[in-house]
Amino acid sequence: MRMVDSGDVRLALFEEGDPDQPAVLLLHGYPDTHRVWDEVAALLRDRFRVIRYDVRGAGASTEPPDRHDYGFDRLLGDLTAVLDAVGRPRVHLVGHDWGSIQGWEALSRAGFNERLASFTSIGGPGLRQAAHFLRDGRPRDVRAQRLRSWYIGAFRLPVLPELAWRSVLPGLLARALRGDGIEPRLGHPASTLVRDGLNGLALYRCNMGESPPDPQVADLPVQIVETTRDAYVTPALLDAVGRWAPRLWRRRVAAGHWVQRSRPETVAGMIAEFVEHVEGGAESRELRRARAGGAFGGRLVVVTGAGSGIGRATARAFGAHGAEVVCADIDRDAATRVAEDIAKDFQVKAYGVQVDVANADAMEDFSRNIIAEYGVPDIVVNNAGIAVAGAFLDHTIDDWRRTIDVNLWGVVHGCRLFGAAMAERGAGGHIVNVASLAAFAPSRVLPAYSTTKAAVKMLSDCLRAELVDYGIGVSAICPGFVSTGIASHATYTKESLREDAVRGLARRGYPAERVAAHILRAVRRNQAVVPVNAEGKIGYALSRISPGAMRGLARLSKFAGKDPSYRRR
């Protein structure tokens, strides 16, 4: 440690790592000190020159005599003093919370673009960008952000915040850390916490309240790291902030506000990848996806049963919105055709892969190969399915086995294999399981199909409860009758049933593309159960209001088996 003079304060500066490597400056937020970065710094110091300092009034740095000297002019003067002291022509700035707010302000001021090589923002939007969002954003998004920003008004009140820091706030901070899965440790929170909290109130009182100038476009590479469980910043605000950075990479981590404590390996990896690329290294696969455009730009999506019907429509819909798509199907040629069409029509990467979802070994190989070659998927759509139509007493053991293997085990394999990889990666994701109206509407015609689809819905509900801790959403999509080829490809216990079934689905006239639109919306909104089309919505509502009525309707199924000469097999 050494002390650096900046006007009327002395800043505690800490440096470690190889002086010949690129310099990374980690700037902390409120009410933290440089020690909040301990774990990340330890992971970066073998590859970079790591620089940290305590902002004025925090940790080992002194406080200004005048409590009004916490404005941006003073804060950025401190940053300039640190940059002068370390003697590096350019540094890569990483800011968290108020450290990120200072970073965004630096990008809007003359002189800093020449001294900064890149900026990584974590958990702190710029005040200029935030003001623009609060003024011009969608009312619903603005209301949501204002609710999360309630503490700003509280910290600007007289007297009460000081009383809170001297009484309840230290305990509440420890509880908030534990809520993020973090245990307090030596250095964080710092032993100077109460003093730091009291001094840092001036950050809010000196810099907030008046309308700031309009943002300036950032003329350097910017990486935004979004934490999916941040209690203080909404995704909509980060979307608005990003518009002021044309050279933007957007990353996501399934974590709370203090992500550098809860997931230091992930944060250090993202910083290192970004810095090395800006320094001239190859752009990693994850970085390339992080800068793609479109609603799902840069996302890797795996769709099973993508060779036709709902799977094909869903793969195309994700491709149309910028995603990189793996089209998987038991029919290799069909999967390849769909992938080639997506690549040609939407100018995105798409891959056709053959897999039998019912085969556990094949799915193990499939998931391992996808992850090795393309990375961990962001979205997995378990869509592959088959149908056996006819009376229960006409179903054979093979009918049941094959239906369960494809419709249920195929979903289990996809959820288990890809879900585990998503959880380990720590960047969140989404799993979509395509069930059916049959999941909650009993039928004398589709006993095996209905049973497996009901199991898929319940599996989805169970997984949703478990995977939320990893930032992974799970949706069960329950379409009614859709005009696809499933009826023509189904197995019938009596072949005479086929013609009416095919004709009925064709007459329904509900295209698979509309189901795909519901799937994309479910991912964006993280919806749990999505009944699709009129009969799907009516059936879902009726199953909740009057299960007895649904059982009564099941007895009216047109193809109910009454033939006493059923096959006992």
Side-chain angles (χ1 to χ4, degrees), residues 356-399:
D356 180 358
V357 299
N359 186 313
D361 292 336
M363 282 295 286
E364 289 268 7
D365 292 341
F366 169 69
S367 63
R368 184 167 50 248
N369 292 338
I370 293 301
I371 292 169
E373 191 164 354
Y374 309 121
V376 177
D378 300 289
I379 300 165
V380 174
V381 182
N382 294 303
N383 164 75
I386 63 171
V388 177
F392 169 79
L393 296 179
D394 286 335
H395 276 55
T396 68
I397 292 297
D398 287 341
D399 291 336

Side-chain angles (χ1 to χ4, degrees), residues 305-360:
S308 62
I310 293 173
R312 177 181 181 275
T314 300
R316 287 184 59 82
F318 276 114
H321 285 80
E324 190 172 331
V325 188
V326 175
C327 305
D329 199 277
I330 195 169
D331 184 339
R332 183 191 302 275
D333 292 340
T336 301
R337 283 195 300 272
V338 172
E340 289 174 348
D341 288 344
I342 291 172
K344 179 180 67 175
D345 294 343
F346 308 120
Q347 305 303 304
V348 297
K349 293 182 179 295
Y351 319 97
V353 182
Q354 182 181 35
V355 68
D356 180 358
V357 299
N359 186 313

Side-chain angles (χ1 to χ4, degrees), residues 8-340:
D8 50 7
V9 299
R10 305 197 75 205
L11 304 172
L13 175 63
F14 306 82
E15 297 179 82
E16 55 190 316
D18 189 342
D20 295 328
Q21 295 302 314
V24 177
L25 195 165
L26 306 174
L27 188 53
H28 70 83
Y30 172 82
D32 300 321
T33 69
H34 78 283
R35 295 292 303 276
V36 73
W37 290 108
D38 281 357
E39 291 86 353
V40 171
L43 294 167
L44 292 176
R45 62 191 176 201
D46 291 338
R47 301 161 68 180
F48 305 100
R49 182 66 167 172
V50 179
I51 304 162
R52 294 180 281 170
Y53 71 95
D54 291 333
V55 301
R56 57 176 52 209
S61 294
T62 64
E63 59 198 72
D66 189 339
R67 302 282 293 176
H68 295 91
D69 284 343
Y70 279 84
F72 277 129
D73 288 344
R74 298 289 188 174
L75 296 172
L76 297 184
D78 295 345
L79 177 58
T80 299
V82 168
L83 294 176
D84 290 341
V86 298
R88 304 297 291 260
R90 302 178 79 199
V91 304
H92 298 269
L93 179 63
V94 181
H96 174 253
D97 190 79
W98 261 95
S100 178
I101 293 173
Q102 291 183 57
W104 282 108
E105 184 65 23
L107 300 191
S108 292
R109 300 204 176 192
F112 280 98
N113 280 350
E114 291 75 25
R115 308 198 68 175
L116 300 178
S118 71
F119 175 49
T120 294
S121 167
I122 307 173
L127 293 191
R128 300 188 190 207
Q129 292 85 350
H132 191 278
F133 166 78
L134 294 175
R135 185 175 62 249
D136 298 333
R138 289 195 310 173
R140 181 177 64 187
D141 295 335
V142 170
R143 286 193 299 270
Q145 182 56 54
R146 288 189 183 278
L147 285 174
R148 295 200 190 190
S149 302
W150 62 270
Y151 61 92
I152 294 176
F155 283 161
R156 297 179 64 229
L157 294 173
V159 181
L160 289 178
E162 282 83 356
L163 292 175
W165 269 116
R166 291 188 174 98
S167 56
V168 299
L169 273 183
L172 292 177
L173 177 63
R175 184 179 302 176
L177 288 171
R178 290 189 175 97
D180 278 357
I182 303 165
E183 284 298 324
R185 51 122 169 104
L186 182 65
H188 186 247
S191 59
T192 55
L193 174 63
V194 174
R195 173 245 186 189
D196 299 344
L198 292 170
N199 288 336
L201 292 171
L203 293 169
Y204 295 89
R205 292 167 177 169
C206 293
N207 295 295
M208 295 183 173
E210 297 183 2
S211 180
D214 285 338
Q216 300 296 312
V217 174
D219 188 26
L220 77 166
V222 174
Q223 175 178 228
I224 293 179
V225 178
E226 174 192 346
T227 54
T228 61
R229 296 196 297 271
D230 196 316
Y232 312 109
V233 181
T234 62
L237 175 55
L238 294 182
D239 287 340
V241 169
R243 64 178 289 193
W244 302 101
R247 299 163 66 188
L248 176 69
W249 286 257
R250 179 82 174 268
R251 316 290 290 272
R252 297 174 76 246
V253 184
H257 184 68
W258 285 277
V259 64
Q260 70 270 61
R261 285 285 325 274
S262 62
R263 300 196 67 92
E265 298 87 355
T266 301
V267 172
M270 289 180 172
I271 294 170
E273 282 184 346
F274 189 55
V275 170
E276 288 173 347
H277 174 58
V278 173
E279 289 289 327
E283 187 176 35
S284 69
R285 180 171 53 206
E286 289 74 17
L287 275 178
R288 175 172 53 80
R289 289 177 179 146
R291 65 176 172 81
F296 291 95
R299 306 286 185 90
L300 178 62
V301 182
V302 174
V303 183
T304 66
S308 62
I310 293 173
R312 177 181 181 275
T314 300
R316 287 184 59 82
F318 276 114
H321 285 80
E324 190 172 331
V325 188
V326 175
C327 305
D329 199 277
I330 195 169
D331 184 339
R332 183 191 302 275
D333 292 340
T336 301
R337 283 195 300 272
V338 172
E340 289 174 348

